[in-house]
Amino acid sequence: MAADRAGAPPRAWQRMLSGRRLDLLDPSPLDIEISDIAQGLARVARWNGQTSGEHAFSVAQHSLLVEALYGELAPAASAEARLAALLHDAPEYVIGDMISPFKSVMGGSYKDCELRLQRAIHLRFSLPLELGAALRKDIKRADQIAAYYEATLLAGFSTAEATEYFGRPRGFSADRFDFTPRSVTWAQTAFAKRFMALESERRHFLAANPST
């Protein structure tokens, strides 16, 4: 990574508000905190900020939406699976939300960095490094449903455009979910609160089922 200024040594780490120093090229689970993730995701705008409303529609809000949609797709899902859904875009708390067309231009470098961060996050919160095929499919579908509604309700896409890129949701109504762009403080607090609720539910389940 290039030096910050002429003569300075190269730096590949990001200082987090928790005090951690996260190496972006070789992230350690020990340097990952949920408070930093909530802080970062609440300040990253979906759609490069090109959405209507007083506030940006943040990745934190998107993550909450995807987790709620995933719960509709898989109502019997475990708290662990729902945590995986909530954290599906967690690497973006340090690398940002790059829109799909630009990801294609960037090629493998972005995806490699994203994968390393995702693995470190999963290790930090005791989630499987590799999610099962069915879980990945359901989370991806929830992500596409969220993208469709965000595109049409907030980002100015026509129904035809959104259907072409994300598919038309079946059996869902936008009225049942929150698409109102909220403040950074609201999004940060709501994301952290939902994480804590799911983590508590998972711990209670594991305590009651020690052989699981």
Side-chain angles (χ1 to χ4, degrees):
M1 183 173 290
D4 295 286
R5 61 179 176 79
R11 178 170 67 93
W13 54 266
Q14 156 97 37
R15 187 190 186 285
M16 316 308 293
L17 281 181
S18 65
R20 299 291 189 184
R21 289 190 178 189
L22 181 65
D23 187 330
L24 302 182
L25 302 182
D26 186 22
S28 167
L30 298 177
D31 291 325
I32 291 169
E33 301 290 349
I34 194 59
S35 60
D36 293 328
I37 293 175
Q39 168 93 14
L41 294 186
R43 287 160 174 76
V44 176
R46 290 274 290 170
W47 308 95
N48 278 345
Q50 299 301 303
T51 51
S52 58
E54 181 180 355
H55 303 285
F57 193 81
S58 69
V59 176
Q61 269 195 267
H62 168 77
S63 299
L64 289 163
L65 176 59
V66 169
E67 190 263 323
L69 287 163
Y70 169 71
E72 293 288 317
L73 291 170
S78 66
E80 179 171 279
R82 296 188 72 140
L83 271 176
L86 183 70
L87 295 171
H88 78 285
D89 276 341
E92 294 177 7
Y93 85 109
V94 285
I95 60 175
D97 179 25
M98 190 179 296
I99 61 173
S100 296
F102 200 60
K103 285 182 183 179
S104 299
V105 173
M106 289 292 293
S109 297
Y110 178 90
K111 295 301 293 183
D112 289 345
C113 184
E114 183 180 45
L115 179 59
R116 285 193 294 270
L117 282 163
Q118 191 73 67
R119 285 175 174 269
I121 289 164
H122 277 213
L123 281 171
R124 171 65 177 85
F125 300 118
S126 302
L127 293 170
L129 286 182
E130 298 291 339
L131 301 179
L135 176 54
R136 288 199 313 272
K137 181 180 178 181
D138 284 344
I139 292 175
K140 181 63 176 176
R141 183 62 188 136
D143 195 23
Q144 290 173 330
I145 294 169
Y148 174 90
Y149 284 126
E150 291 170 22
T152 54
L153 297 176
L154 301 172
F157 280 58
S158 69
T159 298
E161 284 179 315
T163 300
E164 178 182 355
Y165 293 115
F166 311 114
R168 186 76 176 267
R170 304 294 180 187
F172 288 89
S173 170
D175 295 338
R176 295 167 53 200
F177 301 93
D178 183 12
F179 292 92
T180 303
R182 305 289 184 180
S183 71
V184 165
T185 301
W186 185 98
Q188 181 175 344
T189 301
F191 182 92
K193 183 178 180 180
R194 185 58 181 156
F195 175 90
M196 295 303 180
L198 289 170
E199 180 65 4
S200 176
E201 184 180 337
R202 179 172 67 161
R203 288 179 180 177
H204 283 132
F205 175 82
L206 291 175
N209 302 271
S211 60
T212 301

